[in-house]
Amino acid sequence: MKVVTGFVLGWVVLAVAALLLVFSGLYNVAASKQDNPIIAWLLSTTMRRSVAHHADAAAAPGPSTEDQVRQGFKLYNETCVYCHGGPGKDPVDIGQGLNPEPPYLADTVGRWTAPELFWIVKNGIRMTGMPSFGRTHADAELIAAVAFIQRLPQMTPAQYAEFEKQPEAESSTPQ
Ligand code: HEC
């Protein structure tokens, strides 16, 4: 009986401590402040595991075509580059001020499978600056964006600039 009482009391104390932390305002929510390493590890591991669990391998985009890559560039350069930067392009002030920082995708894209990347871009990552694009963009556009970001690791600044000069793909919706 004593053990049970102690157990319950332990939870009550924990709950009161948590509420005190919430209502005292002592927890600093400033984006300019780095999370302590334990919280940062917990959040990033939760994010990686969640994406791996929810990504649908069946939604695997097939091998990408050059048209998709070009189409994907358009979305990337209009929408993503501000936060993530690109070859020869720094993120703008929005991307630089976010916490967690938007990763430089050329360095990180290889850690994810195509279905995982598609899931991230379609659904976004809650409580971070990463938006969900599923409501505003067709799957085909997002698959094209994935095709493009998978090219980033091999892309030089000159090649990125070359994409900017290219006329837009004939149709705005990839087939
Ligand atoms: C407003 C800023 C913002 C925009 C715009 C944005 N992202 Fe993100 N993105 C983020 C942030 C912040 C993260 C990091 C989330 C985290 O660490 O949990 C992220 C994470 C990602 C990741 C996971 C990368 C990794 O290695 O963790 C991918 C892939 C990604 N974004 C792709 C895109 C694509 C493609 C676009 C455009 C269609 C885009 N993002 C637009 C802020 C942004």
Side-chain angles (χ1 to χ4, degrees):
M1 195 59 195
K2 258 191 194 160
V3 177
V4 177
T5 318
F7 185 76
V8 172
L9 208 69
W11 278 109
V12 171
V13 169
L14 259 181
V16 171
L19 282 174
L20 273 178
L21 181 66
V22 170
F23 284 103
S24 67
L26 287 176
Y27 188 82
N28 191 347
V29 297
S32 54
K33 189 179 179 295
Q34 291 308 310
D35 281 320
N36 86 42
I38 297 172
I39 304 272
W41 179 86
L42 274 173
L43 293 175
S44 75
T45 308
T46 305
M47 183 281 233
R48 269 185 288 116
R49 296 299 312 142
S50 171
V51 173
H53 178 79
H54 287 96
D56 180 3
S64 53
T65 64
E66 284 310 306
D67 241 18
Q68 280 177 319
V69 173
R70 227 170 331 124
Q71 191 71 39
F73 165 78
K74 192 167 168 282
L75 181 61
Y76 190 85
N77 202 43
E78 280 170 4
T79 316
C80 323
V81 76
Y82 305 107
C83 283
H84 288 284
K89 300 237 167 184
D90 284 336
V92 303
D93 46 4
I94 301 169
Q96 292 182 26
L98 283 172
N99 182 358
E101 219 175 291
Y104 182 61
L105 293 179
D107 292 342
T108 66
V109 82
R111 295 180 199 154
W112 303 97
T113 63
E116 288 170 344
L117 291 169
F118 176 66
W119 190 92
I120 293 173
V121 179
K122 183 165 178 168
N123 297 288
I125 302 168
R126 199 154 71 228
M127 309 278 280
T128 77
M130 177 60 196
S132 69
F133 291 95
R135 258 200 224 160
T136 46
H137 292 76
D139 282 2
E141 284 179 273
L142 304 181
I143 288 171
V146 169
F148 178 77
I149 62 178
Q150 287 188 308
R151 289 285 176 91
L152 283 171
Q154 299 92 39
M155 201 175 289
T156 62
Q159 286 168 328
Y160 192 94
E162 206 48 49
F163 270 107
E164 285 183 291
K165 284 192 219 142
Q166 280 184 18
E168 287 184 9
E170 272 169 27
S171 108
S172 62
T173 320
Q175 304 307 310

